[in-house]
Amino acid sequence: MDIHHAVVTLIPMQLLTKTITDRNIWNASLAKMPTSHVLQTWEWGEFKAETTGWKPHRLAFFNHGEAVGMAQVLTRQEGPLRVMYVPKGPVLDYTDEDVRQSVLAELKRYAEEHGAIFIKIDPDVVIGVGEPGAPDAKTLPLGYTIQQEWEKAGLRFSAEQVQFRNSVVIDLRRDEQDILMDMKPKTRYNIRLAARKDVEVRFGDADDLDLLYELYKETARRDDFVIRPLEYYRKAWGDFMRAGLAQPIIAEYKGTPLAHVIIFGHGKRAWYFYGASSNEERNRMPTYALQWEAIRWAKSQGMAVYDMWGAPDDFDDENDPLAGVYRFKSGFGGTVVRRIGAWDYPANKRLYALYTRVKPALIGAMRWAARQRLRHGGPGEA
């Protein structure tokens, strides 16, 4: 035998789908997966079930006994129609072509067998970084490859983008001083100004829910957006705090709350989902102090990424609802990340066509509502 030649045997993909019914198993496995996201946690599924009527089904995909993908599929009845949504999933290694195509095929089959008219998938697949046209902007070929695969597989880019595609992320694997020096001078100045103007920052907990909500109401009145009753946020915030998945941070002046952020964390990532501020003492720059403390907190928790959650679709459009928010976020020196967004697989083409034709006004209203919620923090809702 020629010892200089090795025989390589390729083991074919044998995908096995299992339903996971144990919270601890689901969350622990999810945290280890590439592209893991807090919207795929057990708690997020329970929250959606109790507040908006989505029923979670948690699917894990195994190849020869090894977990290679996970998908929390939310299902809801809209009259006689059944729709499915996988927020920020499926979670898997998207560089593995066999895995990503096998999991997609399984999700398509799942939607068809369970009578859904469509399933919406919205994974954290990046298609580019940096503002388009900027000298440091670049595209990532994998994102385009996946888009082409999905088109061939019968998926289409969704008219209803529930979550924002673009965001600003900060790499936390550097020293604090390096993170600070990457910020714009005006942002660093305002962080230091807040300290000079006696803004104090403290970490809150579920006992602060009433305070957090009052600031959120004040922000909603000032910026003219609609929020839900307090009981909704007792779950949206409180349940995640008690589960160790969310941390409120509050800025005060002489004991009076001025602003807050609520940071969600899972695995190696943190997200700035919610924020609010008082109309008082705004010249003390409490929001800058909060973001810096949030960055430092996420880094201290061993997280690698701080995601500021939301950037415009069109960076040149000053009328974009996120234009002003983006100016604030971009001051913290992060990198713009552009993702492929949500795609629909019409499991029932006829009903899907009818659904998208007769409900354009509803879909537009849902997109607007999601955009308004995300403009001020928080994941959107399908």
Side-chain angles (χ1 to χ4, degrees):
M1 184 178 73
D2 186 349
I3 62 173
H4 297 288
H5 292 82
V7 176
V8 178
T9 302
L10 297 178
I11 302 175
M13 173 76 64
Q14 294 182 356
L15 201 68
L16 175 65
T17 303
K18 296 182 180 179
T19 298
I20 306 300
T21 57
D22 183 278
R23 171 193 177 275
N24 293 331
I25 291 175
W26 178 264
N27 280 352
S29 300
L30 183 69
K32 299 174 183 177
M33 297 292 293
T35 69
S36 176
H37 200 285
V38 71
L39 299 193
Q40 283 286 297
T41 59
W42 186 278
E43 285 75 14
W44 187 257
E46 295 304 295
F47 165 64
K48 299 301 289 183
E50 295 179 28
T51 59
T52 54
W54 288 95
K55 183 178 180 180
H57 301 269
R58 300 170 179 101
L59 307 177
F61 308 99
F62 294 84
N63 180 38
H64 297 283
E66 177 186 1
V68 295
M70 302 176 73
Q72 178 166 245
V73 182
L74 304 180
T75 303
R76 185 169 69 184
Q77 290 290 136
E78 296 188 0
L81 305 179
R82 179 173 296 170
V83 298
M84 293 180 174
Y85 176 40
V86 187
K88 290 302 174 184
V91 173
L92 51 88
D93 178 2
Y94 279 90
T95 66
D96 190 319
E97 181 178 354
D98 286 343
V99 169
R100 68 176 185 255
Q101 292 190 1
S102 297
V103 170
L104 176 62
E106 186 64 13
L107 287 175
K108 290 168 58 179
R109 184 198 63 78
Y110 183 84
E112 292 168 352
E113 289 190 356
H114 289 80
I117 62 171
F118 71 90
I119 183 170
K120 183 187 304 293
I121 60 176
D122 186 8
D124 249 17
V125 174
V126 178
I127 199 168
V129 296
E131 291 186 30
D136 61 343
K138 61 181 179 180
T139 58
L140 301 184
L142 179 61
Y144 286 98
T145 297
I146 290 172
Q147 285 184 327
Q148 292 169 356
E149 289 177 357
W150 287 0
E151 287 175 353
K152 291 179 181 178
L155 279 74
R156 60 191 67 184
F157 184 73
S158 179
E160 182 192 351
Q161 291 292 309
V162 182
Q163 314 299 339
F164 275 113
R165 287 180 287 160
N166 301 332
S167 189
V168 177
V169 302
I170 296 172
D171 183 354
L172 301 178
R173 295 170 295 182
R174 301 165 294 156
D175 292 339
E176 280 190 10
Q177 190 61 27
D178 291 335
I179 296 173
L180 192 63
M181 292 309 297
D182 274 350
M183 297 179 188
K184 292 180 180 179
K186 183 65 173 178
T187 299
R188 289 198 302 271
Y189 174 82
N190 285 338
I191 291 171
R192 291 164 178 152
L193 180 64
R196 292 199 302 271
K197 287 183 171 287
D198 300 320
V199 172
E200 296 183 349
V201 176
R202 69 174 177 89
F203 293 96
D205 55 34
D207 291 338
D208 292 302
L209 282 170
D210 288 349
L211 179 159
L212 299 173
Y213 185 68
E214 287 304 312
L215 279 175
Y216 203 49
K217 281 202 304 184
E218 188 169 348
T219 304
R221 287 193 294 267
R222 181 181 66 240
D223 293 348
D224 191 27
F225 66 95
V226 177
I227 64 173
R228 293 174 180 266
L230 173 59
E231 288 309 308
Y232 176 90
Y233 295 102
R234 288 193 186 279
K235 301 204 69 65
W237 302 341
D239 285 3
F240 285 83
M241 293 176 198
R242 285 182 281 269
L245 294 170
Q247 176 60 60
I249 308 175
I250 303 164
E252 298 176 334
Y253 173 65
K254 294 184 177 179
T256 299
L258 300 181
H260 73 72
V261 294
I262 303 176
I263 310 302
F264 282 58
H266 172 71
K268 293 292 185 180
R269 300 173 67 187
W271 293 266
Y272 164 42
F273 275 172
Y274 294 94
S277 62
S278 167
N279 296 324
E280 306 300 323
E281 308 288 351
R282 293 167 67 86
N283 65 319
R284 297 182 186 277
M285 304 299 168
T287 57
Y288 288 87
L290 283 173
Q291 287 298 329
W292 177 231
E293 195 60 39
I295 291 168
R296 296 179 65 216
W297 172 81
K299 182 173 175 59
S300 74
Q301 300 301 303
M303 296 175 185
V305 173
Y306 181 73
D307 190 327
M308 299 193 81
W309 193 249
D313 287 334
D314 184 351
F315 291 90
D316 295 323
D317 183 6
E318 285 298 317
N319 295 319
D320 189 292
L322 278 176
V325 177
Y326 173 63
R327 283 193 294 271
F328 170 76
K329 293 178 179 179
S330 63
F332 288 87
T335 300
V336 170
V337 173
R338 294 175 276 118
R339 301 180 176 92
I340 64 175
W343 289 61
D344 293 345
Y345 171 66
N348 185 317
K349 292 182 175 60
R350 184 179 62 83
L351 288 178
Y352 178 80
L354 179 65
Y355 179 88
T356 55
R357 185 167 63 249
V358 303
K359 288 196 172 182
L362 173 60
I363 292 173
M366 290 164 69
R367 290 180 66 192
W368 180 88
R371 184 177 292 274
Q372 292 301 306
R373 281 190 291 274
L374 285 167
R375 178 183 176 187
H376 301 281
E381 297 174 9

